[in-house]
Amino acid sequence: MGGGASMHKKNRDHHRSSTSSDSSSCSQSKLGFRGRGKKTKEKNTSIKSTRSTSDPPFSMGKLERALKAAILIQRWYRQYLARMEIRRRYTWNIFQTIEYAGEQDQMKLYNFFNALLTHIPQKPSVGMGSLVKDSGSTNERGSLDSLSMSISSGGDGSSQSETPGRSSSSRMKLRKRKLFSNTGAGIDLEDIPVECDYKGPHVKFPLTLQNLQELIDGFNGKKYLHVSYVARILKLAAVTLRTRANFNQPSTVHSKQITVCGDLHGKLDDLYVIFYKNGLPAAENPYVFNGDYVDRGKKSFETLLTLLSCFLYCPDAVCLNRGNHEDHIMNMRYGFIREIRLKYKVFAGRLLSLIDQVFRSLPLGTIIDGRVLVVHGGISASTDLKIIEDVDRHKYVSILRPPVVETMDGDGKIIPLSDLYSSSNNSSEWKQVLDLLWSDPQPGNGCSPNTFRGGGSYFGCDVTEKVLQKHGLQLLIRSHECKQAGYEFMHNNKCVTVFSASNYYEEGSNKGAYIKLIGGPSQPLEPYFVQFNSATPKLRGMTIRQRVGLVETSALRELRSRIHERQEQLTQLFITYDRHATGLINLSDWCVALEKGTELRLPWRLLRTKIAELDPGNGLVKYQTTFEDESSVMSEDSEVTVAEVLYRNKSSLEAIFRIIDKDNSGFFPRIGKVDDLSPRLSMIGLSG
């Protein structure tokens, strides 16, 4: 008992001692921690004191420094993108303004063309309508005469290769020369035999899928099509297109989808990219091609022949609309006629006559399932589809040149194009057709003449709503304008622009696109957009900065060329602002002078750093530096020569000469006295 008590006491004393030791150790540990804390604080204060002597008063941790660096990088990147966007926008503005200025110049030449046709003696005809309808046959007869003339005289036409793709041996040339000299102009192009050494694609009629694929492969391999095959395709296409109504009427009842393509402008690679991505035309894969197949591109004729071959292979699955460049006068200025002459030499005259027949036979638009209107340009407040359905489209060799009966007033005087277009007779069928092919949408409301292009209308959101509602339509699809993304919605998403020629102005300038409408007659047609770019491998490896720089350089080159063409006028304007003959003017006057002299509405103040220099002393513009890049090769004291004036007006003169040379012979017809040319030249600002 006692032992037990003593044992319990020992345990209790041991517990007390252990508890006291634990508490003491705990207190010591706490004291030790506090001591270490004091030491740490003292150490930190010492570190801060040492830092304060070398670092700024507000020091940051690693996280703060990382966040600040990220913000700075983000701010720099946004500024970089903003600068790239500014450069891209003014580059785009330069390209588009120069393009539209060229079209406006073309429209201004209309009065000259009309006067020329009126003054040049014509063969007596039954009526005015026959003059237009017989123009194709007249051109063809003239072309045949020029063909026999060039062969009999041994001129340039006979010395060149007459059929692309064949051997240039002298024996073959002699054999062909004998063939044409024996038969004269009576032989048809499609009857010309195909040489045994011809290496291009062969075409059989009716066209099959295999023929179509061989034709595409041949064009892709840079081979030309024999002239006899070309003539057959053009003649058969013209005959088939002539049977179509003014508006194609495709249906998606079986295919449940349809593809709409915009401008191609001779970009054969873009057309083949579309076929690669979307498939060849077929009954279950229908297409609508919305005009402007030719001009500007290097393979316009191959593009046109491919589309016509697709149409002949599957006519119910391919709808071809007419654009403003399916026009004889536009082709003279923008390169298509030059391309035909280079590729097909002495046969060019008759081929151009057949091409005119095709262009005149193209329908003016397409209405899909009675709900979607597809036209090349657009509409206007006076657009009436019922009037357009009854138009005789075949008489319009050129939309820029209305039928003669519509351009004469009561006294037989010529009505200028601007007066004819703005007349109160808004139901004029010519105006209806011109609006479909030349109009552009505008952001606001209303409708006004398209002075920027020189033809057609600017139509607003209210006009789109009115025309669509009037004809029970839901969507307007148009082309006619290059868009950076390849497409653009406007007017509450009821008007969409689609453009299928990528790299239109320069490599990297824009993407191409096409629209797939998916649905059916009993379902809503939903538009889906496919973008593409047929860029070269070199362009694919470029950075954004390099691409923008490449396009910018090309745009500035075009702008400097325009400035150089107007150097004389610009110099006079600069001198009027430089009253003290110091060679310096202020920036505002420099901008006003450039806008007046070039007739281009551009952000000149922004472009000053790319065009002219400032005087570092007073900040005024050294206006003579505006011409440095282009005029450095010429002496400053040299006078403007006749050759320089002719070169500056080269494009206008080419178009004029081609209009005068109606038979493509390379010679002018006898107009009469030389003085008769003076009033015609004065109409376009040239003195006789």
Side-chain angles (χ1 to χ4, degrees):
M1 181 77 180
S6 64
M7 184 66 115
H8 178 69
K9 187 176 180 180
K10 284 181 181 179
N11 291 336
R12 189 168 53 190
D13 294 339
H14 176 71
H15 176 70
R16 286 175 182 171
S17 62
S18 63
T19 305
S20 61
S21 63
D22 291 341
S23 62
S24 62
S25 65
C26 182
S27 62
Q28 288 176 1
S29 65
K30 288 182 179 179
L31 288 173
F33 177 77
R34 288 174 184 170
R36 285 196 301 270
K38 288 181 180 180
K39 291 178 181 178
T40 306
K41 288 181 180 179
E42 291 174 358
K43 188 177 181 180
N44 289 337
T45 53
S46 64
I47 292 173
K48 287 183 179 180
S49 63
T50 56
R51 283 181 180 175
S52 61
T53 59
S54 58
D55 294 349
F58 301 100
S59 60
M60 297 179 295
K62 292 183 178 180
L63 181 60
E64 290 177 294
R65 287 196 297 270
L67 288 174
K68 187 171 183 179
I71 292 172
L72 289 174
I73 293 172
Q74 187 182 51
R75 185 181 301 171
W76 170 85
Y77 186 66
R78 287 177 177 175
Q79 292 174 352
Y80 169 79
L81 289 182
R83 289 193 297 269
M84 290 297 104
E85 184 62 24
I86 290 173
R87 292 173 63 187
R88 185 184 290 112
R89 288 192 180 188
Y90 74 62
T91 297
W92 188 264
N93 200 357
I94 291 171
F95 277 129
Q96 200 169 57
T97 303
I98 292 177
E99 178 190 3
Y100 292 171
E103 292 183 351
Q104 192 176 46
D105 291 342
Q106 189 70 33
M107 297 291 280
K108 287 179 180 179
L109 288 175
Y110 162 75
N111 287 336
F112 174 80
F113 293 151
N114 203 11
L116 200 63
L117 291 174
T118 304
H119 287 88
I120 291 179
Q122 301 283 348
K123 292 182 179 180
S125 57
V126 178
M128 293 226 180
S130 62
L131 176 64
V132 177
K133 293 180 180 179
D134 293 338
S135 61
S137 59
T138 303
N139 287 338
E140 187 169 0
R141 286 192 297 271
S143 301
L144 295 175
D145 294 339
S146 65
L147 174 63
S148 60
M149 181 188 303
S150 62
I151 293 175
S152 60
S153 61
D156 295 338
S158 60
S159 64
Q160 301 290 337
S161 110
E162 296 168 336
T163 305
R166 68 172 180 80
S167 174
S168 58
S169 63
S170 58
R171 184 173 61 181
M172 186 67 70
K173 289 182 180 179
L174 180 61
R175 187 176 67 190
K176 283 180 177 264
R177 199 171 294 143
K178 288 181 178 180
L179 171 66
F180 289 112
S181 61
N182 290 337
T183 57
I187 187 170
D188 291 330
L189 293 179
E190 60 266 32
D191 294 334
I192 297 175
V194 179
E195 299 79 16
C196 58
D197 56 349
Y198 168 71
K199 297 180 181 179
H202 293 270
V203 180
K204 297 180 180 180
F205 297 91
L207 280 171
T208 62
L209 179 59
Q210 182 179 358
N211 292 146
L212 180 60
Q213 191 63 57
E214 289 177 359
L215 184 69
I216 292 174
D217 293 340
F219 287 156
N220 203 24
K222 299 182 180 180
K223 295 179 180 179
Y224 291 149
L225 189 62
H226 194 276
V227 66
S228 62
Y229 296 141
V230 172
R232 292 179 196 177
I233 291 174
L234 292 175
K235 284 190 175 182
L236 189 56
V239 171
T240 310
L241 286 168
R242 187 174 281 268
T243 62
R244 296 294 180 97
N246 286 343
F247 286 103
N248 296 301
Q249 300 281 347
S251 174
T252 60
V253 64
H254 298 298
S255 61
K256 303 301 180 184
Q257 53 117 14
I258 191 168
T259 303
V260 182
C261 300
D263 297 31
L264 288 168
H265 280 296
K267 298 277 189 177
L268 187 66
D269 292 341
D270 288 325
L271 177 60
Y272 289 170
V273 168
I274 294 172
F275 286 160
Y276 174 78
K277 286 178 172 289
N278 199 58
L280 289 172
E284 64 278 3
N285 189 29
Y287 278 85
V288 176
F289 293 96
N290 200 22
D292 276 13
Y293 316 120
V294 300
D295 280 335
R296 293 195 172 97
K298 296 181 179 179
K299 296 185 177 181
S300 293
F301 199 32
E302 288 84 352
T303 302
L304 177 64
L305 290 174
T306 301
L307 292 175
L308 293 178
S309 299
C310 291
F311 171 72
L312 294 175
Y313 162 65
C314 198
D316 294 331
V318 177
C319 298
L320 300 175
N321 293 347
R322 185 173 184 177
N324 68 311
H325 278 265
E326 278 68 62
D327 187 296
H328 187 70
I329 293 179
M330 296 295 288
N331 299 154
M332 290 178 180
R333 186 182 184 98
Y334 292 102
F336 182 52
I337 290 180
R338 188 183 307 114
E339 178 185 339
I340 300 297
R341 288 174 174 168
L342 287 174
K343 292 179 178 178
Y344 286 90
K345 311 301 180 187
V346 296
F347 302 117
R350 284 190 284 177
L351 288 179
L352 288 171
S353 178
L354 295 175
I355 292 169
D356 282 343
Q357 296 295 328
V358 172
F359 286 170
R360 292 160 61 181
S361 303
L362 287 169
L364 302 175
T366 298
I367 301 177
I368 303 171
D369 287 340
R371 291 180 291 172
V372 179
L373 175 64
V374 184
V375 293
H376 178 73
I379 54 178
S380 70
S382 61
T383 296
D384 191 335
L385 302 186
K386 294 182 179 178
I387 294 177
I388 299 172
E389 286 175 353
D390 298 330
V391 168
D392 180 15
R393 68 179 188 270
H394 310 101
K395 67 182 178 182
Y396 291 99
V397 181
S398 171
I399 304 301
L400 301 182
R401 190 171 63 203
V404 180
V405 67
E406 290 193 14
T407 56
M408 295 286 187
D409 59 12
D411 300 328
K413 296 181 179 179
I414 301 168
I415 303 174
L417 180 63
S418 57
D419 296 343
L420 179 67
Y421 188 84
S422 59
S423 64
S424 59
N425 186 18
N426 287 333
S427 62
S428 167
E429 69 172 36
W430 170 75
K431 182 182 181 300
Q432 296 276 338
V433 175
L434 188 69
D435 283 335
L436 287 186
L437 272 60
W438 278 86
S439 295
D440 292 312
Q442 64 181 5
N445 291 329
C447 187
S448 60
N450 192 338
T451 55
F452 201 39
R453 287 187 187 268
S457 300
Y458 278 127
F459 61 97
C461 182
D462 56 335
V463 176
T464 301
E465 292 275 359
K466 174 185 173 183
V467 173
L468 292 180
Q469 185 177 5
K470 177 181 178 181
H471 297 93
L473 302 169
Q474 299 175 2
L475 179 66
L476 169 64
I477 298 178
R478 42 95 56 183
S479 302
H480 195 44
E481 284 184 290
C482 182
K483 300 297 179 182
Q484 287 187 350
Y487 70 93
E488 182 181 74
F489 271 110
M490 291 187 70
H491 299 172
N492 299 324
N493 294 339
K494 291 192 174 181
C495 174
V496 59
T497 300
V498 58
F499 197 86
S500 299
S502 66
N503 308 302
Y504 178 61
Y505 295 121
E506 180 61 61
E507 281 193 300
S509 62
N510 66 285
K511 295 180 179 178
Y514 59 88
I515 305 176
K516 285 187 72 70
L517 295 174
I518 299 178
S522 59
Q523 302 171 353
L525 288 173
E526 296 291 339
Y528 293 88
F529 298 89
V530 180
Q531 296 173 302
F532 59 88
N533 194 333
S534 60
T536 60
K538 177 183 176 182
L539 187 63
R540 295 190 190 102
M542 288 185 176
T543 63
I544 297 176
R545 185 186 186 93
Q546 289 172 331
R547 291 189 183 190
V548 173
L550 178 65
V551 179
E552 181 186 37
T553 302
S554 179
L556 292 174
R557 191 186 307 119
E558 293 287 336
L559 181 59
R560 289 192 184 99
S561 177
R562 179 86 173 186
I563 290 173
H564 178 60
E565 290 174 2
R566 307 294 179 91
Q567 182 174 353
E568 187 177 354
Q569 300 96 308
L570 286 171
T571 302
Q572 294 298 324
L573 288 170
F574 289 149
I575 291 174
T576 58
Y577 290 111
D578 183 17
R579 298 177 181 177
H580 302 290
T582 61
L584 303 172
I585 58 176
N586 63 53
L587 182 58
S588 298
D589 293 339
W590 181 82
C591 295
V592 172
L594 277 173
E595 185 164 336
K596 287 182 179 179
T598 61
E599 299 179 356
L600 300 176
R601 297 178 182 177
L602 292 171
W604 294 109
R605 189 178 295 269
L606 186 65
L607 293 170
R608 198 276 314 158
T609 57
K610 308 289 184 181
I611 300 174
E613 297 179 5
L614 289 181
D615 185 88
N618 50 27
L620 298 178
V621 180
K622 301 177 182 178
Y623 58 81
Q624 287 298 336
T625 60
T626 309
F627 314 111
E628 271 188 358
D629 291 338
E630 295 292 335
S631 61
S632 58
V633 297
M634 297 187 300
S635 173
E636 295 181 359
D637 299 330
S638 62
E639 297 181 356
V640 180
T641 63
V642 176
E644 291 172 12
V645 176
L646 292 174
Y647 181 77
R648 292 174 190 175
N649 296 275
K650 180 179 65 172
S651 58
S652 298
L653 289 172
E654 281 187 23
I656 293 168
F657 291 160
R658 290 191 184 114
I659 281 292
I660 298 175
D661 183 17
K662 295 173 63 179
D663 58 358
N664 299 308
S665 63
F667 298 95
F668 286 169
R670 292 186 178 180
I671 302 177
K673 296 180 180 180
V674 178
D675 295 339
D676 292 342
L677 281 174
S678 298
R680 303 171 204 169
L681 293 174
S682 62
M683 298 180 70
I684 60 170
L686 299 176
S687 59

